[in-house]
PDB file of all heavy atoms in Angstrom:
ATOM      1  N   TRP A 274       1.406  19.734 -26.924  1.00  0.00           N
ATOM      2  CA  TRP A 274       1.704  20.398 -28.196  1.00  0.00           C
ATOM      3  C   TRP A 274       0.724  19.958 -29.265  1.00  0.00           C
ATOM      4  O   TRP A 274       1.062  19.230 -30.220  1.00  0.00           O
ATOM      5  CB  TRP A 274       3.156  20.133 -28.601  1.00  0.00           C
ATOM      6  CG  TRP A 274       4.167  20.560 -27.576  1.00  0.00           C
ATOM      7  CD1 TRP A 274       5.017  19.768 -26.892  1.00  0.00           C
ATOM      8  CD2 TRP A 274       4.393  21.890 -27.105  1.00  0.00           C
ATOM      9  NE1 TRP A 274       5.787  20.513 -26.025  1.00  0.00           N
ATOM     10  CE2 TRP A 274       5.422  21.838 -26.134  1.00  0.00           C
ATOM     11  CE3 TRP A 274       3.836  23.150 -27.421  1.00  0.00           C
ATOM     12  CZ2 TRP A 274       5.894  22.955 -25.464  1.00  0.00           C
ATOM     13  CZ3 TRP A 274       4.315  24.270 -26.739  1.00  0.00           C
ATOM     14  CH2 TRP A 274       5.333  24.172 -25.804  1.00  0.00           C
ATOM     15  N   TYR A 278      -7.879  22.811 -35.750  1.00  0.00           N
ATOM     16  CA  TYR A 278      -8.220  23.722 -36.846  1.00  0.00           C
ATOM     17  C   TYR A 278      -9.621  23.416 -37.339  1.00  0.00           C
ATOM     18  O   TYR A 278     -10.080  22.269 -37.276  1.00  0.00           O
ATOM     19  CB  TYR A 278      -7.256  23.540 -38.035  1.00  0.00           C
ATOM     20  CG  TYR A 278      -5.806  23.824 -37.691  1.00  0.00           C
ATOM     21  CD1 TYR A 278      -5.010  22.806 -37.165  1.00  0.00           C
ATOM     22  CD2 TYR A 278      -5.238  25.057 -37.902  1.00  0.00           C
ATOM     23  CE1 TYR A 278      -3.666  23.041 -36.864  1.00  0.00           C
ATOM     24  CE2 TYR A 278      -3.907  25.303 -37.623  1.00  0.00           C
ATOM     25  CZ  TYR A 278      -3.142  24.305 -37.103  1.00  0.00           C
ATOM     26  OH  TYR A 278      -1.817  24.541 -36.783  1.00  0.00           O
ATOM     27  N   GLN A 280     -11.887  23.777 -40.884  1.00  0.00           N
ATOM     28  CA  GLN A 280     -11.779  24.033 -42.308  1.00  0.00           C
ATOM     29  C   GLN A 280     -13.140  23.924 -42.978  1.00  0.00           C
ATOM     30  O   GLN A 280     -13.858  22.949 -42.782  1.00  0.00           O
ATOM     31  CB  GLN A 280     -10.823  23.063 -42.988  1.00  0.00           C
ATOM     32  CG  GLN A 280     -10.542  23.421 -44.444  1.00  0.00           C
ATOM     33  CD  GLN A 280      -9.556  22.483 -45.120  1.00  0.00           C
ATOM     34  OE1 GLN A 280      -9.508  21.300 -44.825  1.00  0.00           O
ATOM     35  NE2 GLN A 280      -8.750  23.026 -46.030  1.00  0.00           N
ATOM     36  N   LYS A 284     -11.642  26.572 -48.437  1.00  0.00           N
ATOM     37  CA  LYS A 284     -10.928  27.554 -47.599  1.00  0.00           C
ATOM     38  C   LYS A 284      -9.742  26.920 -46.891  1.00  0.00           C
ATOM     39  O   LYS A 284      -9.683  25.697 -46.737  1.00  0.00           O
ATOM     40  CB  LYS A 284     -11.884  28.132 -46.526  1.00  0.00           C
ATOM     41  CG  LYS A 284     -13.070  28.879 -47.108  1.00  0.00           C
ATOM     42  CD  LYS A 284     -12.670  30.109 -47.868  1.00  0.00           C
ATOM     43  CE  LYS A 284     -13.877  30.931 -48.279  1.00  0.00           C
ATOM     44  NZ  LYS A 284     -13.461  32.147 -49.060  1.00  0.00           N
ATOM     45  N   ALA A 285      -8.814  27.759 -46.467  1.00  0.00           N
ATOM     46  CA  ALA A 285      -7.685  27.286 -45.686  1.00  0.00           C
ATOM     47  C   ALA A 285      -8.130  26.954 -44.278  1.00  0.00           C
ATOM     48  O   ALA A 285      -9.123  27.517 -43.772  1.00  0.00           O
ATOM     49  CB  ALA A 285      -6.574  28.345 -45.648  1.00  0.00           C
ATOM     50  N   TYR A 329      -9.608  19.417 -37.757  1.00  0.00           N
ATOM     51  CA  TYR A 329      -8.353  18.646 -37.766  1.00  0.00           C
ATOM     52  C   TYR A 329      -7.558  18.932 -36.497  1.00  0.00           C
ATOM     53  O   TYR A 329      -7.478  20.084 -36.041  1.00  0.00           O
ATOM     54  CB  TYR A 329      -7.471  19.052 -38.958  1.00  0.00           C
ATOM     55  CG  TYR A 329      -8.022  18.662 -40.314  1.00  0.00           C
ATOM     56  CD1 TYR A 329      -8.797  19.536 -41.045  1.00  0.00           C
ATOM     57  CD2 TYR A 329      -7.738  17.415 -40.844  1.00  0.00           C
ATOM     58  CE1 TYR A 329      -9.300  19.182 -42.273  1.00  0.00           C
ATOM     59  CE2 TYR A 329      -8.237  17.052 -42.100  1.00  0.00           C
ATOM     60  CZ  TYR A 329      -9.018  17.929 -42.796  1.00  0.00           C
ATOM     61  OH  TYR A 329      -9.516  17.575 -44.030  1.00  0.00           O
ATOM     62  N   TYR A 333       2.528  19.270 -32.776  1.00  0.00           N
ATOM     63  CA  TYR A 333       3.755  19.981 -33.123  1.00  0.00           C
ATOM     64  C   TYR A 333       4.822  19.749 -32.053  1.00  0.00           C
ATOM     65  O   TYR A 333       5.662  20.603 -31.771  1.00  0.00           O
ATOM     66  CB  TYR A 333       3.484  21.454 -33.406  1.00  0.00           C
ATOM     67  CG  TYR A 333       2.698  22.223 -32.369  1.00  0.00           C
ATOM     68  CD1 TYR A 333       3.343  23.059 -31.464  1.00  0.00           C
ATOM     69  CD2 TYR A 333       1.320  22.179 -32.346  1.00  0.00           C
ATOM     70  CE1 TYR A 333       2.639  23.801 -30.540  1.00  0.00           C
ATOM     71  CE2 TYR A 333       0.590  22.901 -31.417  1.00  0.00           C
ATOM     72  CZ  TYR A 333       1.248  23.709 -30.524  1.00  0.00           C
ATOM     73  OH  TYR A 333       0.528  24.442 -29.607  1.00  0.00           O
ATOM     74  N   ASN A 334       4.760  18.563 -31.472  1.00  0.00           N
ATOM     75  CA  ASN A 334       5.846  18.158 -30.573  1.00  0.00           C
ATOM     76  C   ASN A 334       7.106  17.849 -31.356  1.00  0.00           C
ATOM     77  O   ASN A 334       8.220  18.107 -30.898  1.00  0.00           O
ATOM     78  CB  ASN A 334       5.405  16.903 -29.780  1.00  0.00           C
ATOM     79  CG  ASN A 334       6.436  16.496 -28.753  1.00  0.00           C
ATOM     80  OD1 ASN A 334       6.661  17.176 -27.770  1.00  0.00           O
ATOM     81  ND2 ASN A 334       7.084  15.370 -29.003  1.00  0.00           N
ATOM     82  N   TYR A 336       8.184  17.051 -35.914  1.00  0.00           N
ATOM     83  CA  TYR A 336       7.741  17.516 -37.235  1.00  0.00           C
ATOM     84  C   TYR A 336       6.223  17.325 -37.351  1.00  0.00           C
ATOM     85  O   TYR A 336       5.695  16.274 -37.063  1.00  0.00           O
ATOM     86  CB  TYR A 336       8.492  16.760 -38.315  1.00  0.00           C
ATOM     87  CG  TYR A 336       9.932  17.151 -38.377  1.00  0.00           C
ATOM     88  CD1 TYR A 336      10.915  16.222 -38.648  1.00  0.00           C
ATOM     89  CD2 TYR A 336      10.349  18.460 -38.138  1.00  0.00           C
ATOM     90  CE1 TYR A 336      12.242  16.565 -38.690  1.00  0.00           C
ATOM     91  CE2 TYR A 336      11.670  18.827 -38.170  1.00  0.00           C
ATOM     92  CZ  TYR A 336      12.623  17.872 -38.455  1.00  0.00           C
ATOM     93  OH  TYR A 336      13.954  18.221 -38.473  1.00  0.00           O
ATOM     94  N   PHE A 339      -0.915  15.747 -38.927  1.00  0.00           N
ATOM     95  CA  PHE A 339      -2.316  16.061 -38.754  1.00  0.00           C
ATOM     96  C   PHE A 339      -3.146  14.784 -38.612  1.00  0.00           C
ATOM     97  O   PHE A 339      -2.765  13.724 -39.155  1.00  0.00           O
ATOM     98  CB  PHE A 339      -2.848  16.834 -39.959  1.00  0.00           C
ATOM     99  CG  PHE A 339      -2.270  18.207 -40.136  1.00  0.00           C
ATOM    100  CD1 PHE A 339      -1.046  18.349 -40.804  1.00  0.00           C
ATOM    101  CD2 PHE A 339      -2.917  19.328 -39.677  1.00  0.00           C
ATOM    102  CE1 PHE A 339      -0.508  19.640 -40.987  1.00  0.00           C
ATOM    103  CE2 PHE A 339      -2.384  20.606 -39.859  1.00  0.00           C
ATOM    104  CZ  PHE A 339      -1.175  20.752 -40.499  1.00  0.00           C
TER     105      PHE A 339
ATOM    106  N   GLN B 172      -2.886  19.379 -49.388  1.00  0.00           N
ATOM    107  CA  GLN B 172      -4.112  18.645 -49.103  1.00  0.00           C
ATOM    108  C   GLN B 172      -4.669  18.064 -50.398  1.00  0.00           C
ATOM    109  O   GLN B 172      -5.254  18.796 -51.218  1.00  0.00           O
ATOM    110  CB  GLN B 172      -5.161  19.555 -48.450  1.00  0.00           C
ATOM    111  CG  GLN B 172      -6.439  18.863 -48.013  1.00  0.00           C
ATOM    112  CD  GLN B 172      -7.337  19.783 -47.233  1.00  0.00           C
ATOM    113  OE1 GLN B 172      -7.435  20.980 -47.487  1.00  0.00           O
ATOM    114  NE2 GLN B 172      -8.003  19.223 -46.215  1.00  0.00           N
ATOM    115  N   LYS B 176      -9.042  14.832 -48.989  1.00  0.00           N
ATOM    116  CA  LYS B 176      -8.195  14.145 -47.992  1.00  0.00           C
ATOM    117  C   LYS B 176      -7.666  15.125 -46.930  1.00  0.00           C
ATOM    118  O   LYS B 176      -8.047  16.291 -46.911  1.00  0.00           O
ATOM    119  CB  LYS B 176      -7.066  13.436 -48.704  1.00  0.00           C
ATOM    120  CG  LYS B 176      -7.537  12.301 -49.611  1.00  0.00           C
ATOM    121  CD  LYS B 176      -6.403  11.490 -50.160  1.00  0.00           C
ATOM    122  CE  LYS B 176      -6.904  10.350 -51.021  1.00  0.00           C
ATOM    123  NZ  LYS B 176      -5.790   9.503 -51.570  1.00  0.00           N
ATOM    124  N   LEU B 178      -4.441  16.809 -44.362  1.00  0.00           N
ATOM    125  CA  LEU B 178      -3.330  17.756 -44.532  1.00  0.00           C
ATOM    126  C   LEU B 178      -1.990  17.077 -44.297  1.00  0.00           C
ATOM    127  O   LEU B 178      -1.846  16.242 -43.390  1.00  0.00           O
ATOM    128  CB  LEU B 178      -3.514  18.887 -43.525  1.00  0.00           C
ATOM    129  CG  LEU B 178      -4.806  19.699 -43.716  1.00  0.00           C
ATOM    130  CD1 LEU B 178      -5.245  20.344 -42.415  1.00  0.00           C
ATOM    131  CD2 LEU B 178      -4.581  20.765 -44.792  1.00  0.00           C
ATOM    132  N   HIS B 191      13.716  22.621 -42.812  1.00  0.00           N
ATOM    133  CA  HIS B 191      13.414  21.293 -42.313  1.00  0.00           C
ATOM    134  C   HIS B 191      12.329  20.748 -43.232  1.00  0.00           C
ATOM    135  O   HIS B 191      11.386  21.465 -43.572  1.00  0.00           O
ATOM    136  CB  HIS B 191      12.885  21.345 -40.873  1.00  0.00           C
ATOM    137  CG  HIS B 191      13.875  21.919 -39.907  1.00  0.00           C
ATOM    138  ND1 HIS B 191      13.870  23.244 -39.562  1.00  0.00           N
ATOM    139  CD2 HIS B 191      14.906  21.348 -39.250  1.00  0.00           C
ATOM    140  CE1 HIS B 191      14.844  23.503 -38.714  1.00  0.00           C
ATOM    141  NE2 HIS B 191      15.495  22.356 -38.507  1.00  0.00           N
ATOM    142  N   TYR B 227      -0.791  24.927 -49.574  1.00  0.00           N
ATOM    143  CA  TYR B 227      -0.915  26.120 -48.746  1.00  0.00           C
ATOM    144  C   TYR B 227       0.452  26.565 -48.211  1.00  0.00           C
ATOM    145  O   TYR B 227       1.296  25.699 -47.881  1.00  0.00           O
ATOM    146  CB  TYR B 227      -1.782  25.833 -47.511  1.00  0.00           C
ATOM    147  CG  TYR B 227      -3.227  25.511 -47.771  1.00  0.00           C
ATOM    148  CD1 TYR B 227      -3.689  24.198 -47.799  1.00  0.00           C
ATOM    149  CD2 TYR B 227      -4.161  26.532 -47.985  1.00  0.00           C
ATOM    150  CE1 TYR B 227      -5.019  23.882 -48.020  1.00  0.00           C
ATOM    151  CE2 TYR B 227      -5.493  26.235 -48.207  1.00  0.00           C
ATOM    152  CZ  TYR B 227      -5.908  24.922 -48.220  1.00  0.00           C
ATOM    153  OH  TYR B 227      -7.240  24.616 -48.446  1.00  0.00           O
ATOM    154  N   ARG B 238       8.518  25.136 -30.938  1.00  0.00           N
ATOM    155  CA  ARG B 238       7.215  24.630 -31.387  1.00  0.00           C
ATOM    156  C   ARG B 238       6.186  25.747 -31.512  1.00  0.00           C
ATOM    157  O   ARG B 238       6.167  26.677 -30.699  1.00  0.00           O
ATOM    158  CB  ARG B 238       6.692  23.600 -30.376  1.00  0.00           C
ATOM    159  CG  ARG B 238       7.609  22.419 -30.136  1.00  0.00           C
ATOM    160  CD  ARG B 238       7.129  21.610 -28.964  1.00  0.00           C
ATOM    161  NE  ARG B 238       7.999  20.493 -28.669  1.00  0.00           N
ATOM    162  CZ  ARG B 238       9.073  20.569 -27.897  1.00  0.00           C
ATOM    163  NH1 ARG B 238       9.383  21.686 -27.309  1.00  0.00           N
ATOM    164  NH2 ARG B 238       9.821  19.484 -27.691  1.00  0.00           N
ATOM    165  N   ALA B 239       5.325  25.607 -32.473  1.00  0.00           N
ATOM    166  CA  ALA B 239       4.167  26.503 -32.596  1.00  0.00           C
ATOM    167  C   ALA B 239       3.208  25.934 -33.627  1.00  0.00           C
ATOM    168  O   ALA B 239       3.637  25.206 -34.551  1.00  0.00           O
ATOM    169  CB  ALA B 239       4.615  27.911 -33.016  1.00  0.00           C
ATOM    170  N   PRO B 240       1.941  26.250 -33.518  1.00  0.00           N
ATOM    171  CA  PRO B 240       0.994  25.820 -34.554  1.00  0.00           C
ATOM    172  C   PRO B 240       1.110  26.773 -35.756  1.00  0.00           C
ATOM    173  O   PRO B 240       1.895  27.698 -35.751  1.00  0.00           O
ATOM    174  CB  PRO B 240      -0.361  25.979 -33.869  1.00  0.00           C
ATOM    175  CG  PRO B 240      -0.146  27.127 -32.919  1.00  0.00           C
ATOM    176  CD  PRO B 240       1.265  27.003 -32.465  1.00  0.00           C
ATOM    177  N   PHE B 241       0.277  26.506 -36.754  1.00  0.00           N
ATOM    178  CA  PHE B 241       0.236  27.339 -37.947  1.00  0.00           C
ATOM    179  C   PHE B 241      -0.914  28.339 -37.774  1.00  0.00           C
ATOM    180  O   PHE B 241      -2.087  27.954 -37.858  1.00  0.00           O
ATOM    181  CB  PHE B 241       0.029  26.466 -39.195  1.00  0.00           C
ATOM    182  CG  PHE B 241       1.094  25.438 -39.355  1.00  0.00           C
ATOM    183  CD1 PHE B 241       0.793  24.088 -39.208  1.00  0.00           C
ATOM    184  CD2 PHE B 241       2.391  25.807 -39.650  1.00  0.00           C
ATOM    185  CE1 PHE B 241       1.794  23.107 -39.365  1.00  0.00           C
ATOM    186  CE2 PHE B 241       3.404  24.849 -39.787  1.00  0.00           C
ATOM    187  CZ  PHE B 241       3.102  23.510 -39.632  1.00  0.00           C
ATOM    188  N   TRP B 244      -2.494  31.427 -42.635  1.00  0.00           N
ATOM    189  CA  TRP B 244      -2.434  30.581 -43.839  1.00  0.00           C
ATOM    190  C   TRP B 244      -2.647  31.420 -45.092  1.00  0.00           C
ATOM    191  O   TRP B 244      -3.405  32.396 -45.086  1.00  0.00           O
ATOM    192  CB  TRP B 244      -3.498  29.506 -43.772  1.00  0.00           C
ATOM    193  CG  TRP B 244      -3.342  28.508 -42.672  1.00  0.00           C
ATOM    194  CD1 TRP B 244      -3.361  28.730 -41.330  1.00  0.00           C
ATOM    195  CD2 TRP B 244      -3.133  27.075 -42.833  1.00  0.00           C
ATOM    196  NE1 TRP B 244      -3.195  27.551 -40.641  1.00  0.00           N
ATOM    197  CE2 TRP B 244      -3.042  26.525 -41.541  1.00  0.00           C
ATOM    198  CE3 TRP B 244      -3.015  26.236 -43.923  1.00  0.00           C
ATOM    199  CZ2 TRP B 244      -2.825  25.149 -41.317  1.00  0.00           C
ATOM    200  CZ3 TRP B 244      -2.810  24.867 -43.716  1.00  0.00           C
ATOM    201  CH2 TRP B 244      -2.725  24.337 -42.423  1.00  0.00           C
ATOM    202  N   GLY B 245      -2.034  30.984 -46.169  1.00  0.00           N
ATOM    203  CA  GLY B 245      -2.363  31.529 -47.480  1.00  0.00           C
ATOM    204  C   GLY B 245      -3.674  30.974 -47.967  1.00  0.00           C
ATOM    205  O   GLY B 245      -4.273  30.114 -47.326  1.00  0.00           O
TER     206      GLY B 245
END
Side-chain angles (χ1 to χ4, degrees):
Chain A
W274 303 116
Y278 300 86
Q280 187 178 34
K284 299 295 187 181
Y329 292 93
Y333 50 102
N334 184 69
Y336 291 143
F339 294 84
Chain B
Q172 185 172 36
K176 295 188 178 181
L178 298 154
H191 300 94
Y227 295 99
R238 303 169 181 88
F241 302 112
W244 294 64

